[in-house]
Amino acid sequence: MLQTIRKFVIDNYLFGEEDKLGNEDSFMETGIIDSTGILELVRFLESTYGIKVTDEELIPDNLDSVNKIVSFIHAKQSVSTQTDGGISFQSAGRLPI
Amino acid sequence: MCGIAGSLHLYGGSAGQEQLRRMIETIRYRGPDDIGTYSQGPIGLAHARLSIIDLAGGHQPMSITQDSLWITFNGEIFNYIELRDELIAKGHRFTSSSDTEVLLHLYQEEGERCVERLNGQWAFAIWDAPRRKLFLSRDRFGIRPLYYTQADGEFLFASEVKALLACPQVACAIDLHGLDQIFTFWVTVPPRTAFQNISQLPPGHSMVIEEGHVRIAPYWTLDLAPRVANGHTTDTQLTEELLELLHDATRIRLRSDVPVGAYLSGGIDSTVIAALAKRNVGERIRTFSVTFDASELDESRFQHEASSFLGTSHHNVRCRHEDIVRIFSEVIWHTEQPILRSAPAPLYLLSKLVRDSGFKVVLSGEGADELFGGYDIFKETKIRQFWGRRPDSSWRPLLLKRLYPYLPGIQRQSLEYLKHFFHVTREELNGLFFSHLPRWEVTKKAKQFFSVSARTELATADAVTALLRDLPTSYATWPPFAKAEFLESRYLLPGYILSSQGDRVAMAHGVEGRYPFLDHRVAAFAARLPARLKMKVLDQKHLLKMAVKGLIPESIRTRSKQPYRAPDGVSFFRNNDEYVQDLLSPIRIKRDGVFDHRATEALVKKFRSGNETSVKDNMALTGILSTTVFLDRFMRGVGVGGSTASPPSGAQLLSQSESRL
């Protein structure tokens, strides 16, 4: 998953400049992804991992680095599994305060 | 409206007729009705005429007083009738009824300060033979262009760069610092252009060349310093005054010996002008619009409403994706600079429609957004300023959601991301460029496609520094709203709106645009209005909307701002992308050396995938495409799609100029 997400970011935001991406790098601080570009990322995550990112989850705490995205997807997938088992959650990842 | 060119030998030598003719022939489309040259000793003047006033008597270059004063003039002096009467009363005698002759007599009467008396749009050169002085001037807002350079002891000027490049002694190479500015502000900062060693006279400036010395000085600037209220004027009185001013500004812009049409975009500004034109003319007028397939861009519903309300005879041209691809190379040949948006292309089609309909003059609404608080960037400034006073407020940034309702990429954002994008700190609030920081930050990101050699060349470049040198003395004390107005009016308006979207694409088909909102009396009125009347809370163009109640349809008067936009990057990939494949091939990108070929390839791949693209991606793609066309057309003399054109004389292949990168 980490490599897939890295590849997407490198191909679509860094346009090949692989060495400019650390897994902990903040997309916003480094300017890798601008505000209008974040929705591309969400589309990709939704279609690749079969998840639905809610408006409330559209926050930097969930999406602002490769590692944060990996954690977020894992959390979403885990919630999805638990929901299938009868436990209901409204959202995963960190919620905005 | 016309094309002008000329030369002055600074250290001896005579102007050659052949060179003058070659220069003016390159921009003949600006003035297809007549051509003229004059040379005497060191001076040479050339003119291509679009006959609009005094069809029989306005031949140029023109002289008075036994050939002691000569002029080549592009533009219109709308108050020429009043000035002529005044000059006759002072004893001047006229042999024609043209505004050109009025300009010469006014110069004779008042010297260089004559430009302060002009109400119009101009770029001209007057040769004052007894003083051996060349006097050049450009109108207040830069509606008409004026470029110049110096080569081999000769000063050369022209309406367009390509006329200068027609001289073999003028080298042609891209100015990477100019490109850096375009990839920051969308425009170059005058006097810089996209060409090395070729300058433009800044709007509101005059230039004198005398005894080997060059003097450039402003004669007017848009002063937006806050005014102390003088007496008590009610809002109603202000709306009446504004309407009266606009009425008169439109009236004198209808002075023409050929019929005048009007653009109708479907927005408030052009509808107001068309309505005032109709009132002045008292009969059915002809209006022209561009339409799009994409519903989010198309405004035909409002255009038809305006036309129907005003009873105009309306014509439109539909701009499809394939049209933008088809004409893109021609458009860049005319803009003479790389562009980050495709929006000039549809306007190129529109001016062709106007010309094909038998019109060569159109009124349009440019200037209203800059002067009366119409653009969303003013709303953005106001909201960020409000939030910046209490950066910790949880509800103030919620207003960011009110910005750019027509941009889904912004609308679907969470507040956290919007706050980051439209960031504000107390320090930034007092900065010189507070209003434009988010916009420039996004635009600048497109520079990530610059090649290593271009980045090296630009390592110490700072586009903003050029602005610092150009600001009015009191600018730093102005409120953020006024600063934003100034930045829009001073740079984006002349460098892009009136140029790439204005003069260039209109004159490509011999069409003259006239802009009543840019009458300097209207501008002076707007400059003394408090910001609260331009934008009441978040209501854009508040006073203007109040003033035109009843004049235009309510549906248009009260509709939210819809900026003119055209399909961008997607146009080039809609059907087949052979155009992009050819233009942005790795071989070509590598050869040109301006952009990184791997990054460009990745960008093309992203568009080709059909996935969502960002604002930055679209600016980058259009910027790379237009720069590549720019290099092809001007430095290599190559047309796109197999056609070829003669390279301008003196053109260097970029590979030669690359050694300087």
Side-chain angles (χ1 to χ4, degrees):
Chain A
M1 180 187 291
L2 186 134
Q3 287 310 320
T4 307
I5 291 166
R6 269 187 69 85
K7 185 172 185 322
F8 178 80
V9 174
I10 289 163
D11 287 350
N12 288 276
Y13 301 105
L14 290 168
F15 300 98
E17 292 182 292
E18 193 168 353
D19 53 342
K20 286 197 174 171
L21 182 66
N23 292 340
E24 286 289 347
D25 290 350
S26 158
F27 296 155
M28 292 200 303
E29 296 308 321
T30 55
I32 291 172
I33 300 183
D34 61 59
S35 182
T36 61
I38 200 73
L39 294 173
E40 299 166 49
L41 175 66
V42 170
R43 289 256 163 86
F44 165 76
L45 298 177
E46 289 184 337
S47 64
T48 307
Y49 299 105
I51 57 166
K52 173 80 189 141
V53 181
T54 66
D55 287 353
E56 291 73 27
E57 291 165 337
L58 250 177
I59 53 172
D61 274 349
N62 292 337
L63 302 169
D64 196 38
S65 72
V66 172
N67 283 347
K68 279 181 178 171
I69 294 172
V70 170
S71 304
F72 174 63
I73 300 291
H74 280 143
K76 287 288 286 187
Q77 289 176 333
S78 142
V79 167
S80 169
T81 309
Q82 292 181 55
T83 305
D84 291 345
I87 304 167
S88 174
F89 288 82
Q90 282 194 319
S91 62
R94 294 192 191 179
L95 289 169
I97 297 167
Chain B
M1 182 75 76
C2 312
I4 63 171
S7 71
L8 176 66
H9 281 265
L10 300 171
Y11 315 109
S14 302
Q17 280 284 337
E18 194 200 336
Q19 176 176 285
L20 287 172
R21 195 157 276 279
R22 201 166 52 234
M23 289 173 82
I24 204 67
E25 284 292 350
T26 60
I27 51 172
R28 187 68 201 270
Y29 48 81
R30 295 183 69 92
D33 299 332
D34 187 16
I35 201 161
T37 57
Y38 164 77
S39 61
Q40 178 67 48
I43 189 71
L45 303 175
H47 191 264
R49 186 177 185 216
L50 185 68
S51 308
I52 290 171
I53 291 175
D54 191 5
L55 305 185
H59 180 79
Q60 291 191 51
M62 181 184 281
S63 71
I64 61 167
T65 58
Q66 285 95 43
D67 292 352
S68 68
L69 293 179
W70 280 89
I71 189 170
T72 183
F73 163 45
N74 165 212
E76 307 290 345
I77 307 303
F78 299 117
N79 62 336
Y80 76 104
I81 293 175
E82 293 77 9
L83 290 169
R84 189 173 193 267
D85 289 346
E86 196 183 301
L87 289 161
I88 287 172
K90 287 180 176 169
H92 289 260
R93 289 187 175 180
F94 289 84
T95 57
S96 76
S97 56
S98 71
D99 55 343
T100 311
E101 194 181 356
V102 171
L103 189 45
L104 274 172
H105 282 275
L106 192 67
Y107 172 78
Q108 188 188 25
E109 185 68 30
E110 303 193 7
E112 293 166 23
R113 296 196 66 175
C114 69
V115 290
E116 295 169 24
R117 304 286 315 282
L118 303 178
N119 187 336
Q121 46 196 45
W122 67 83
F124 66 76
I126 290 176
W127 174 241
D128 188 334
R131 293 183 177 84
R132 294 179 75 78
K133 175 169 100 173
L134 186 63
F135 174 58
L136 303 103
S137 180
R138 190 173 177 205
D139 65 73
R140 295 175 180 86
F141 283 101
I143 298 170
R144 305 280 73 105
L146 188 54
Y147 295 91
Y148 62 90
T149 189
Q150 194 178 319
D152 296 348
E154 197 176 1
F155 172 81
L156 298 144
F157 67 90
S159 297
E160 298 192 16
V161 174
K162 55 180 77 68
L164 302 176
L165 299 176
C167 306
Q169 67 273 35
V170 177
C172 178
I174 189 169
D175 182 341
L176 279 185
H177 290 261
L179 191 71
D180 185 62
Q181 291 180 346
I182 291 171
F183 273 64
T184 306
F185 310 126
W186 292 21
V187 297
T188 58
V189 179
R192 194 178 282 279
T193 69
F195 295 87
Q196 277 182 29
N197 301 319
I198 291 178
S199 304
Q200 57 175 315
L201 187 61
H205 280 63
S206 293
M207 180 176 194
V208 172
I209 298 157
E210 193 173 19
E211 294 176 351
H213 296 290
V214 176
R215 177 162 43 91
I216 297 174
Y219 63 86
W220 183 87
T221 192
L222 184 62
D223 183 1
L224 294 163
R227 310 290 203 274
V228 179
N230 188 13
H232 183 69
T233 311
T234 66
D235 290 0
T236 308
Q237 285 169 322
L238 287 171
T239 58
E240 285 168 1
E241 189 183 342
L242 172 56
L243 196 56
E244 204 171 301
L245 271 172
L246 285 174
H247 189 275
D248 198 60
T250 308
R251 179 184 66 83
I252 62 173
R253 278 164 182 75
L254 287 164
R255 287 174 170 170
S256 165
D257 292 327
V258 296
V260 178
Y263 282 163
L264 264 190
S265 71
I268 295 172
D269 314 330
S270 60
T271 311
V272 167
I273 298 306
L276 291 170
K278 193 201 165 200
R279 270 194 188 178
N280 271 292
V281 173
E283 57 189 52
R284 193 176 172 85
I285 61 165
R286 294 273 283 272
T287 49
F288 303 90
S289 297
V290 64
T291 65
F292 296 103
D293 289 331
S295 58
E296 70 273 18
L297 306 177
D298 185 59
E299 297 186 73
S300 37
R301 186 194 129 205
F302 291 103
Q303 292 160 0
H304 287 298
E305 266 184 55
S307 165
S308 167
F309 183 87
L310 300 173
T312 73
S313 170
H314 191 63
H315 309 260
N316 62 58
V317 59
R318 173 142 296 214
C319 179
R320 298 188 161 83
H321 293 288
E322 54 267 34
D323 293 320
I324 291 179
V325 179
R326 179 173 55 81
I327 63 177
F328 194 70
S329 174
E330 278 310 294
V331 170
I332 301 305
W333 177 244
H334 287 284
T335 61
E336 295 191 323
Q337 63 180 356
I339 52 176
L340 304 189
R341 285 283 169 92
S342 65
L347 296 171
Y348 176 88
L349 293 178
L350 182 58
S351 70
K352 183 172 189 310
L353 170 71
V354 170
R355 189 65 184 194
D356 290 347
S357 305
F359 281 71
K360 47 187 175 182
V361 183
V362 281
L363 297 171
S364 190
E366 274 77 359
D369 284 322
E370 288 81 357
L371 295 170
F372 289 96
Y375 284 134
D376 282 287
I377 197 155
F378 303 139
K379 196 195 269 191
E380 179 185 320
T381 304
K382 208 167 169 180
I383 290 173
R384 289 176 61 237
Q385 190 184 0
F386 179 66
W387 170 32
R389 288 199 202 105
R390 298 263 177 82
D392 300 329
S393 164
S394 56
W395 68 270
R396 288 189 181 211
L398 287 171
L399 288 168
L400 295 170
K401 287 271 183 193
R402 301 275 292 273
L403 291 171
Y404 306 99
Y406 46 85
L407 290 181
I410 295 284
Q411 284 308 302
R412 298 199 307 255
Q413 286 300 341
S414 69
L415 188 59
E416 285 302 304
Y417 277 104
L418 287 178
K419 281 166 72 173
H420 176 79
F421 180 63
F422 293 110
H423 58 85
V424 57
T425 62
R426 284 186 202 278
E427 295 72 44
E428 285 171 344
L429 251 180
N430 300 317
L432 292 173
F433 306 114
F434 167 74
S435 59
H436 281 62
L437 292 178
R439 179 196 281 180
W440 294 345
E441 279 163 11
V442 171
T443 308
K444 276 195 291 193
K445 284 179 193 291
K447 286 193 236 177
Q448 79 179 98
F449 294 94
F450 282 3
S451 67
V452 173
S453 62
R455 286 188 211 188
T456 306
E457 165 79 4
L458 295 168
T460 56
D462 179 9
V464 173
T465 306
L467 295 183
L468 289 173
R469 288 194 292 264
D470 197 46
L471 300 172
T473 323
S474 66
Y475 173 89
T477 65
W478 299 359
F481 194 94
K483 286 182 181 138
E485 288 180 293
F486 182 84
L487 294 175
E488 288 293 288
S489 308
R490 174 81 177 161
Y491 304 107
L492 197 67
L493 180 66
Y496 178 74
I497 305 282
L498 294 173
S499 178
S500 297
Q501 286 190 187
D503 175 90
R504 299 323 189 74
V505 285
M507 290 311 293
H509 296 113
V511 171
E512 170 181 299
R514 295 181 175 186
Y515 313 103
F517 281 106
L518 293 177
D519 185 307
H520 67 283
R521 298 169 301 169
V522 177
F525 171 86
R528 68 180 163 89
L529 283 180
R532 65 173 176 82
L533 287 177
K534 295 175 184 173
M535 187 174 291
K536 187 172 183 181
V537 190
L538 293 179
D539 181 29
Q540 291 149 291
K541 286 189 284 205
H542 175 73
L543 190 82
L544 178 63
K545 285 181 190 167
M546 294 302 107
V548 299
K549 205 167 186 175
L551 185 69
I552 63 173
E554 271 301 280
S555 57
I556 291 175
R557 194 183 72 86
T558 55
R559 69 181 289 215
S560 55
K561 171 75 185 162
Q562 168 81 25
Y564 163 68
R565 291 181 301 149
D568 278 324
V570 66
S571 302
F572 299 98
F573 295 89
R574 184 50 74 94
N575 295 318
N576 68 61
D577 55 12
E578 271 174 32
Y579 183 80
V580 172
Q581 213 170 328
D582 172 41
L583 212 52
L584 301 189
S585 69
I587 292 173
R588 192 191 284 244
I589 293 293
K590 249 198 275 193
R591 179 198 63 186
D592 288 346
V594 176
F595 298 103
D596 182 275
H597 70 94
R598 286 187 204 88
T600 303
E601 215 176 346
L603 180 67
V604 169
K605 194 173 159 196
K606 183 173 183 180
F607 272 91
R608 207 171 264 157
S609 73
N611 291 340
E612 191 156 349
T613 52
S614 69
V615 170
K616 178 203 73 183
D617 295 339
N618 277 273
M619 285 195 287
L621 183 84
T622 312
I624 298 170
L625 278 169
S626 59
T627 305
T628 307
V629 172
F630 176 81
L631 293 170
D632 265 3
R633 296 295 302 246
F634 288 94
M635 284 70 187
R636 297 180 188 278
V638 179
V640 175
S643 69
T644 55
S646 302
S649 306
Q652 300 172 346
L653 291 180
L654 190 68
S655 54
Q656 290 172 331
S657 64
E658 247 177 351
S659 61
R660 281 173 279 169
L661 296 185

